[in-house]
Amino acid sequence: MMELTKQQIEEYREQGFVKLEGVLDESWIALLQRAIERVENEADKRPRVANMSAMKEMADAGQRPRIDGPVRREGRSDYLVAHNAWDWNDELRQVAFESPLAGLSAQLMAATQIRFYFDQTFVKPAGSLLRTQFHQDLGYWTCKGDQICTFWTPIDSVDRSNGAMGYVPGSHRWTEKYMANVFVSPQPIPGQQGEQLPDIEANEEKYGVIYCECEPGDVIVHHVKTVHGSTGNTTADRPRRSVGLRYTGDDVTYHLPPGIPPESTPIADYLQDGEPLSGPLFPTIWPVPSE
């Protein structure tokens, strides 16, 4: 297993994120590419695939955005996000469960056991100008704890012109609870509790936002409370396709607060609030379970 340096671990814990270069080799990159291509090719017939561009238009019109709208619209450079595809996408499941990422999450979080939480696939084609609004992940998710992280990794070269990820260093230590927004709009999701996130986009210098350029094989890992977002894709010929794979450690429990988007987040009817994550929705994947 790849061993992280003390500096990399400290950077994750102090900043709330860390970029790790060249983590996935060519075989994993090829598998991830097939996984994302399946999402693109099968988007219209698979569950939990959202057209974020259409959702932005609903939000701007004062309507409640829905995940069940049209997935593809002819002649449009729409931003698509697939939620929790591992149950039908074998290639994605293999990357999430069998690649080095789960073991690396254990090192970063000092966890003795890692469960897979869920995945998202992001397809931001050339000309998809929507940025992903700054947000904290925790407001969208059915869990609570400190040992929760995301590994974000692309299959395309990524810079600020086509959708680079930007992070607010140290924001995982902020004590305020912020409402989740509509992801591509600062409008809070109805029913959310907490404060509205400050306008980071208009004050990036004040908040010290750091954008990370990436190549295929690189990963960026961020804490569940780290404030982050991404730029739009202003290029004419460069897609930005990536996945976010979420892992949890020892201290994480199930939590279902008001306002959670039910279409995109794993909801376990078999768990009570405060119980440790368990069961088929949240499998233990590290250490590798024995037969």
Side-chain angles (χ1 to χ4, degrees), residues 103-117:
L104 295 178
S105 72
Q107 293 181 55
L108 290 169
M109 300 190 296
T112 63
Q113 177 178 271
I114 296 297
R115 289 185 179 273
F116 185 66
Y117 182 54

Side-chain angles (χ1 to χ4, degrees), residues 18-33:
V18 62
K19 176 183 170 183
L20 306 174
E21 297 182 356
V23 168
L24 298 178
D25 64 22
E26 291 183 2
S27 63
W28 288 117
I29 296 169
L31 190 62
L32 185 60
Q33 183 167 354

Side-chain angles (χ1 to χ4, degrees), residues 20 30 54 62 71 75 105 188 204 216 219 223 260 275:
L20 306 174
V71 175
S105 72
E204 290 190 356
V219 299
H223 187 277
I260 290 290
E275 290 184 339

Side-chain angles (χ1 to χ4, degrees), residues 11 42 59 85 115 122 130 162 172 179 207 218 238:
E11 185 173 341
E42 302 176 25
R115 289 185 179 273
F122 306 96
L130 282 183
N162 73 329
H172 64 308
M179 294 184 288
Y207 289 99
D218 297 344
R238 294 173 53 209

Side-chain angles (χ1 to χ4, degrees), residues 23-135:
V23 168
L24 298 178
D25 64 22
E26 291 183 2
S27 63
W28 288 117
I29 296 169
L31 190 62
L32 185 60
Q33 183 167 354
R34 294 201 298 273
I36 294 177
E37 287 173 351
R38 279 197 67 189
V39 170
E40 292 183 280
N41 294 335
E42 302 176 25
D44 289 313
K45 61 182 182 181
R46 293 297 185 179
R48 303 180 300 273
V49 181
N51 185 321
M52 306 308 295
S53 302
M55 291 180 70
K56 175 68 161 59
E57 292 166 12
M58 295 178 209
D60 290 347
Q63 304 168 7
R64 179 166 184 162
R66 303 189 319 274
I67 198 173
D68 59 350
V71 175
R72 296 189 186 278
R73 299 184 296 180
E74 190 68 29
R76 302 289 293 269
S77 295
D78 286 341
Y79 176 18
L80 304 182
V81 179
H83 304 82
N84 227 32
W86 71 271
D87 62 352
W88 60 263
N89 190 315
D90 293 338
E91 293 86 353
L92 182 57
R93 182 185 186 280
Q94 189 174 346
V95 175
F97 285 34
E98 301 176 22
S99 75
L101 303 185
L104 295 178
S105 72
Q107 293 181 55
L108 290 169
M109 300 190 296
T112 63
Q113 177 178 271
I114 296 297
R115 289 185 179 273
F116 185 66
Y117 182 54
F118 83 116
D119 61 86
Q120 286 179 298
T121 301
F122 306 96
V123 178
K124 193 175 282 192
S128 179
L129 304 181
L130 282 183
R131 71 166 296 133
T132 300
Q133 294 291 317
F134 284 102
H135 64 280

